[in-house]
Amino acid sequence: MPAAARADGRRLRQCVSNILSNALKYTVRGQVRATARMEAGDILQIDVTDTGEGVSEALRDAIFEPFRRGSQALPGNGLGLNISRTLARRMGGDLVLIPSEAGAWFRLTLPLEPADVAFAAPLCNLPKLDLRGRLDLVVDDIASDRLVAAAYRRLLGAQVMEAESGEAALCLLYRMRPWAVLLDVNMPGLSGLETLQRIRQIRGPTAGVAVIARTADGTDDRRRAYLAAGLDGYMSKPLSPDRMAATLRPLHIPSNGPTDAVIGHGNREVG
């Protein structure tokens, strides 16, 4: 791999995160393996293989369509692979399914522009934000997404509770008052926005808890709709410690000063 190259790091991270999350979701036992190499000089090739149930012949092309899933019994809205392929192609690459005898094998390719300056970037440039003593609730129907969000909160010092559904989150909120709730918008059963409405109906201090949306749908229209619904913040997937800290910092500071993150309160946006 080159020591340095130019590419859209955020979108590349989003593609890889979606593919890995998909592989973990469908692999009950065995392993998920990711490898990276350079092909034809300047083409980055990332292969993600798993030992899960694989993709049937009938779904090999349809799996990249919006809202198509390999198994209806598993959580998710069927957008991850579609978003990843769309982003890869817009960056001049592609995402394809490679035929395999067992499990699934996805290949992401992306052209890289050589960079003259070599550098050693830190794995995690965590902003200074101390959340020690804070209790947070992470709500997501996908276990791997809960794991990532909870791990980043703990890096900032917070204690974390987890809930796999809106119903489970409400049960916890009736007993405990967290400092903030990270709420997945697209969940089966009680959706994120429906869960938000139920939270606001709880009497007492919990009714005013900060609720931050987490979603893969990062369009401007959806962002405005989420904030207009009464959410206090918005984070698009995939998450990173830097983005999470930027979104949390205005909530951590008593005054509502300007921020470089997308923060809203009711129908008002600031930032």
Side-chain angles (χ1 to χ4, degrees):
M1 299 295 294
R6 299 184 186 279
D8 190 328
R10 177 183 176 186
R11 297 309 182 191
L12 173 58
R13 187 180 301 111
Q14 183 175 2
C15 291
V16 175
S17 175
N18 285 341
I19 300 168
L20 287 173
S21 176
N22 190 72
L24 289 168
K25 182 168 58 176
Y26 285 95
T27 305
V28 177
R29 60 178 59 87
Q31 66 180 3
V32 173
R33 181 184 297 272
T35 59
R37 58 188 295 179
M38 298 300 296
E39 289 288 341
D42 62 350
I43 302 298
L44 171 64
Q45 176 180 299
I46 299 177
D47 288 345
V48 176
T49 60
D50 63 60
T51 56
E53 63 185 54
V55 181
S56 66
E57 187 69 29
L59 288 177
R60 287 190 177 275
D61 293 326
I63 198 71
F64 292 102
E65 297 176 2
F67 306 108
R68 294 297 296 269
R69 295 182 290 165
S71 173
Q72 298 298 320
L74 293 175
N77 52 25
L79 287 174
L81 292 178
N82 173 262
I83 290 173
S84 297
R85 171 177 271 190
T86 300
L87 291 175
R89 289 180 173 179
R90 287 182 178 179
M91 292 186 290
D94 205 354
L95 174 63
V96 298
L97 178 67
I98 305 294
S100 58
E101 295 182 359
W105 178 0
F106 289 93
R107 172 168 292 170
L108 174 68
T109 54
L110 182 69
L112 295 182
E113 179 184 345
D116 296 331
V117 180
F119 61 92
L123 291 178
C124 179
N125 184 21
L126 193 64
K128 294 180 180 179
L129 181 62
D130 189 358
L131 298 184
R132 285 177 295 182
R134 305 283 193 179
L135 176 65
D136 292 334
L137 174 60
V138 175
V139 187
D140 201 308
D141 61 304
I142 299 177
S144 56
D145 286 359
R146 289 199 309 271
L147 173 67
V148 171
Y152 288 165
R153 302 292 276 208
R154 292 187 178 103
L155 283 174
L156 296 170
Q159 298 179 1
V160 183
M161 302 184 297
E162 298 181 31
E164 72 280 2
S165 66
E167 294 86 350
L170 291 171
C171 289
L172 288 172
L173 288 170
Y174 277 112
R175 303 199 314 265
M176 308 181 73
R177 183 195 176 189
W179 175 65
V181 177
L182 266 69
L183 183 63
D184 181 34
V185 174
N186 298 306
M187 294 188 296
L190 203 62
S191 71
L193 294 183
E194 290 171 337
T195 302
L196 172 67
Q197 293 174 359
R198 299 281 188 89
I199 292 174
R200 297 309 186 211
Q201 291 171 3
I202 299 176
R203 297 186 180 276
T206 303
V209 66
V211 182
I212 303 167
R214 297 172 54 245
T215 177
D217 188 354
T219 63
D220 289 340
D221 289 343
R222 295 310 303 164
R223 177 195 58 138
R224 286 191 288 267
Y226 294 146
L227 295 178
L231 289 156
D232 298 286
Y234 174 92
M235 285 186 289
S236 59
K237 298 178 181 179
L239 296 181
S240 70
D242 290 1
R243 192 177 307 142
M244 180 174 287
T247 306
L248 293 175
R249 185 172 287 107
L251 302 177
H252 184 61
I253 300 173
S255 61
N256 290 326
T259 173
D260 57 358
V262 180
I263 299 295
H265 185 72
N267 294 322
R268 177 174 60 89
E269 279 188 47
V270 297

